[in-house]
Every structure is written in structure tokens, then in C-alpha cells.
Amino acid sequence: MSRILWCVCLLAAMSAARAELAANSRSKAETAEGHPNFIIIFADDQGYQDLGCYGSPDIKTPRIDRMAKEGMRFTSFYAQTVCGPSRGALMTGCYPLRFARQGDPDSIHPELHFAEITIAEVLKEQGYATAAFGKWDLAGHNPSRYKPELLPPHQGFDTYFGTPGSNDSYVKLIRGTKVIEQKTDMSTLTKRYTDEAINFIEEKKDAPFFVYLAHTMPHTKLAASEEFKGKSAGGLYGDVIEELDFNVGRVLDKVRELGLDENTYIIFTSDNGPWLIKKQHSGHAEPLRSGKTSCWEGGLRVPCIMRAPGKIPAGSECDAVAATIDMMPTLAELAGGVAPSDRTIDGVDISELMHGKKAALDRNYFYYQHDCLRAVRSGKWKLMLPHTEPVQGSIATKWKNHIAKADAIRIEKAELYDLDADIGETTDISGSHPETVAELMKLAEWAQHDLGDHDHFGANARSFGAQRRTLSSEAKAAPAKNRKSGKRK
């Protein structure tokens, strides 16, 4: 099949999928009037403990703490282990090995394929105005090398103001798809993103809206404005979090001022755990084990607070397993629409948890470290799986410098943890519960088959005809081939 014909067929399939989504959505929704508004505030590298309401001893977060008192605090809420995959999971409602990539399929930070349907596209079919502010990270991680055609305006967002990737060295600001600043003062970002979000909320107050406010902070390089710098007992990292807290308060105040309080769901969470190798510039995940890039709990269990007066019970707490992958199906349901039915969606509708109608759901959760399945959770039980990928070049080897030495280990046999009794994952009790180990191993085998693993492309993983990722069994000859050709990997 020629490239042109393949593209025509793909575009036709995409149009059909979106037409089906629109028809299904319209059949469930009577009108845009009365639809709730949604605001997702996404911090970057903020640890589980880095809020007052999650036990921080030295960082003051009065506005987010109040948000928790007025809403629900989730204590078993999961993201992914690193930035890009976490954002792709939020946008698509799927594990990172499930959704398709437009560019290099082996990159840790994915370029989201244009045939994927995002949460913004689902809500647009219900008449929502959609906006993204802040870090995107799904069109290229390096701000000097990204694909404009994969920026938010091409993925369902009407409005975009932010940066395409990481702030490891500098931040490039974009409005729509046009670069407006090549190197931005990072200390201004938290306020500027919030200013833009507030302006959008004011402009769209009379129609349902979806705001995705993805802060660059507290990812390093850390930067706080003069108003907050040097003020926190938690050092510069604390300054950054306290500035985030203040600006979350500004959003809450604006929603209340506009009379939208009782018709707006506001969700605050983080993309992954703290980047511990940054030491005093990193956060904290206590009482969880480890942090970012690992599949111990501290790597991807994150703080999450949801608030919607009159809908979400005030001062409530939920310990049920929930995750960023649940946002698409949940918000679709709340908006009177549906998640895409032409593809597998891993997330589930958690609206009954949010509304206090259920205390738990019958669901499992799978932990991936890049393309390696590392663990599975069912109820209180978590099974850490043996590392089966080749030692040379493995993710465990490459990423061990990002993880505490005691946690950067190659697991040779399955380890079982009771997270209710041992949230810090200190004691392997696999020897005492062989039946539980066997049950969880079966779940892991299902995930390996359906989602994939380092040596297997999942039966229901998507590529839309694009190049699929390299399996560990195929990667052995790659270094020599690359050296010979002179091409970069």
C-alpha cells in the first residue's frame, strides 16, 4: 500500500471514529446547558507528602488543604513513573504501552499519535470550550526539537499557552502553535499559566469549559517569584510549592467569584513522584518507598484532591485505587458523553467514588517502568515482578542513578506486599501467601499479553500503522548497526 493511500485510509478511519463518538455523545446529552465545568491542575514531580494535608512538616499549603476540607482526598491515586508517559495516560485514559506514538516509539517521553483521541476531543463533542496551559510534553520532550503538528491545538484544545516540553535547561513559550518567547524567566511561569487560565475561565464562564493547567513546577530547574522566594521552611522547593498553592487558591477564588462553584469539578494532582536525585531540590513521598522513575509506591502514587461543592462530599477521604487514566471516562460520563468505543480504554468511571456512593471498585492496576511491567496491584496486595529483560541496557540499569540505591535493585523473584499493613513496602511476604502470588501472576500474564512488556507488543496496543517500539529481543544488534551507519538512535 502506498504511503498516500495509507494516509487516506487512516484519515478516513479517524473521521469515522470521531463521527461515532459524536453520535454516541449527542444521544446521551440533551444540551450543553448545565454541563459541569472541569479544571485539572497537574503539578510536575510533586511528591506524595508535599502538601500540608498529606503530612508535610515544613511546607505550608493552606489553599489546597482547604480544598481537601471542602472535597475529597484520595490516598491511593496513581499516575505514571515519569512526565511524558503520565501526560499521555491522562489525555488518552490508557496505559502508556497502550496508546500509539507518532515519532520515535522507543523514546521514554512519547509523541502522542494524532489518531489518538484525547479527553479534550471527547469533551468538545459535548460543546465544551477546551484549553491547555503549561507543560505539554507530548510533541517532543526537548523544547528545541518538537513537532508543532502535535501541540494541543491539534489534539482537541481550542486554546493553548505553554511550553512544549521540559524545563531541564530552559523554557520556550508558545501561544497556539507560535513561539512567543525563546527563553522565558521560569520564576514567572506559575503565575503566568494561572493568569491565562483565569482569563479563559472568565471568557468562557457562560459555556461549559475544560481547563488543563499543567504546571512546569516543581520540576527542576526550580524557580520561584520574588514574592515567594526564601519564604518557606522547606527551602526553594518549599517556596515553589507554596507559590503553586497560592495560585491554586486564585483559581478557586475566581470560580467562586463567577458563581461557578457548584457546577465545577476541580482536580489537583501530580504527574509522578519526587525526583529524589535532585536532593534539596526534590520533594518527599513519605511514608511511601522511593520516588520518580521507580515502580515502588513513591514513584507513581501521588496526592490527589477533588472538589465540587454539592457533588463531592466535603471533608471526605477515599483509599480506593484510582488513577489519572480514569479521568477521560469519568469526565466523559459527568459531561453526558462517552469515552471512545472503537478502542480499548484502560481507565474506569470513578464518579461514584468521587460522589461518595462507593468506597471501592473492582479493578486492578499495573505498574510500568517505561516498557517493562514491574508490578500489579489488586486490592491491598501488590506483587513486584521479577525483572526479565536483559541486564545490559535494561531500564533498571539505565535508571538506577535516578533511584535511591536501596531501591535500584534488580528483582530476581516475585515480592508480595500488603499495602494496608505495610505502605512503605518493607517486608516481602510472598512466602506466606503463595495463592495470592499465583493469582497476581495471572493478572500480570494478562497485562503482558494485552498491554505488552519489554519483549512483547500487546495484542491490544495501538500503533495506527506507525513504527512499533523495539522489543528487548530485537535491540541486541541495534548498537552495532547504529555505529556502522553513523545514525543516532
Side-chain angles (χ1 to χ4, degrees):
M1 182 184 291
S2 71
R3 175 70 178 173
I4 294 175
L5 180 58
W6 177 85
C7 289
V8 170
C9 292
L10 178 58
L11 288 170
M14 290 167 56
S15 297
R18 284 173 169 81
E20 179 185 0
L21 177 66
N24 289 340
S25 297
R26 284 192 293 269
S27 68
K28 285 192 74 174
E30 297 176 2
T31 173
E33 289 184 22
H35 285 189
N37 305 306
F38 304 111
I39 301 172
I40 295 179
I41 304 175
F42 212 41
D44 193 337
D45 289 3
Q46 182 168 0
Y48 186 80
Q49 194 194 43
D50 294 331
L51 295 170
C53 55
Y54 281 83
S56 177
D58 50 17
I59 300 174
K60 294 181 173 60
T61 54
R63 298 310 307 269
I64 297 175
D65 295 351
R66 179 179 170 184
M67 183 179 165
K69 290 179 181 177
E70 296 173 346
M72 180 176 287
R73 187 176 75 102
F74 286 76
T75 55
S76 290
F77 191 87
Y78 291 90
Q80 300 296 318
T81 58
V82 288
C83 306
S86 193
R87 291 153 205 279
L90 172 65
M91 285 293 110
T92 64
C94 296
Y95 290 103
L97 256 65
R98 178 85 68 196
F99 61 75
R101 298 171 178 228
Q102 187 73 23
D104 178 4
D106 298 322
S107 173
I108 289 172
H109 300 283
E111 296 174 357
L112 187 64
H113 198 287
F114 60 77
E116 288 292 348
I117 295 176
T118 68
I119 188 171
E121 290 172 307
V122 169
L123 293 175
K124 275 178 72 69
E125 295 295 345
Q126 292 300 301
Y128 277 72
T130 58
F133 304 106
K135 179 176 176 178
W136 180 237
D137 215 21
L138 293 173
H141 191 64
N142 188 323
S144 66
R145 294 192 300 273
Y146 67 94
K147 295 180 178 176
E149 67 271 22
L150 297 179
L151 288 172
H154 301 294
Q155 299 281 23
F157 289 95
D158 302 319
T159 300
Y160 175 55
F161 174 87
T163 183
S166 175
N167 69 323
D168 294 305
S169 56
Y170 70 96
V171 164
K172 177 182 292 186
L173 273 184
I174 295 173
R175 187 178 297 281
T177 57
K178 182 180 178 181
V179 176
I180 59 172
E181 293 178 24
Q182 287 290 348
K183 292 189 177 181
T184 297
D185 179 354
M186 293 190 207
S187 71
T188 68
L189 290 176
T190 298
K191 182 179 185 299
R192 291 179 71 182
Y193 294 159
T194 305
D195 288 346
E196 294 282 338
I198 287 174
N199 290 340
F200 179 84
I201 291 167
E202 288 181 322
E203 180 184 341
K204 304 298 181 182
K205 64 181 183 298
D206 295 325
F209 60 78
F210 167 52
V211 169
Y212 172 48
L213 176 51
H215 284 290
T216 294
M217 298 296 152
H219 190 289
T220 58
K221 299 179 177 179
L222 294 182
S225 67
E226 287 301 319
E227 184 180 354
F228 290 89
K229 193 172 183 179
K231 302 295 176 62
S232 173
L236 179 57
Y237 182 89
D239 296 339
V240 167
I241 298 297
E242 292 184 11
E243 183 163 16
L244 276 174
D245 176 75
F246 176 81
N247 281 279
V248 169
R250 292 178 62 211
V251 173
L252 291 165
D253 290 345
K254 179 55 64 175
V255 168
R256 184 179 291 112
E257 174 192 317
L258 295 174
L260 303 175
D261 222 18
E262 295 184 358
N263 198 41
T264 303
Y265 288 83
I266 303 179
I267 299 164
F268 178 90
T269 189
S270 179
D271 66 342
N272 48 248
W275 201 357
L276 298 178
I277 63 167
K278 298 299 181 178
K279 299 180 180 178
Q280 71 269 24
H281 283 185
S282 79
H284 309 81
E286 289 85 349
L288 309 179
R289 180 174 177 175
S290 200
K292 177 179 178 178
T293 76
S294 86
C295 282
W296 301 104
E297 289 296 289
L300 64 175
R301 194 194 291 207
V302 291
C304 179
I305 296 164
M306 301 189 189
R307 176 187 183 275
K311 296 180 175 67
I312 295 176
S316 55
E317 184 174 293
C318 180
D319 192 45
V321 172
T324 56
I325 58 174
D326 300 331
M327 292 299 96
M328 176 198 271
T330 301
L331 270 57
E333 175 67 24
L334 293 172
V338 292
S341 59
D342 66 329
R343 63 197 66 195
T344 300
I345 300 296
D346 295 306
V348 299
D349 173 16
I350 63 168
S351 58
E352 290 190 316
L353 291 179
M354 295 163 61
H355 296 152
K357 295 179 180 179
K358 282 189 176 180
L361 298 175
D362 182 16
R363 62 98 57 89
N364 307 306
Y365 195 79
F366 300 100
Y367 302 62
Y368 278 90
Q369 186 183 40
H370 191 35
D371 61 355
C372 297
L373 179 63
R374 292 301 194 211
V376 56
R377 178 174 177 180
S378 182
K380 69 177 183 177
W381 299 109
K382 178 181 179 182
L383 189 70
M384 293 292 283
L385 302 169
H387 293 186
T388 58
E389 77 278 12
V391 173
Q392 186 174 4
S394 75
I395 289 297
T397 301
K398 290 178 181 177
W399 285 7
K400 68 180 182 181
N401 292 333
H402 291 268
I403 303 170
K405 188 174 181 180
D407 302 328
I409 54 177
R410 186 175 177 88
I411 296 176
E412 300 294 344
K413 71 176 189 68
E415 299 178 3
L416 181 68
Y417 296 93
D418 177 349
L419 294 179
D420 283 353
D422 182 20
I423 194 172
E425 299 172 285
T426 63
T427 307
D428 170 22
I429 54 175
S430 58
S432 304
H433 300 275
E435 299 86 359
T436 301
V437 171
E439 291 173 3
L440 293 177
M441 284 299 294
K442 289 180 180 178
L443 293 176
E445 289 168 4
W446 175 88
Q448 289 166 334
H449 169 75
D450 198 79
L451 279 157
D453 204 349
H454 65 89
D455 58 354
H456 181 74
F457 192 77
N460 286 304
R462 299 189 285 271
S463 68
F464 297 113
Q467 179 185 355
R468 67 163 175 79
R469 62 186 172 83
T470 305
L471 304 181
S472 59
S473 58
E474 301 168 334
K476 296 177 182 178
K481 181 179 178 182
N482 288 336
R483 284 196 298 270
K484 185 175 180 180
S485 66
K487 294 179 180 179
R488 294 183 65 183
K489 216 175 162 184

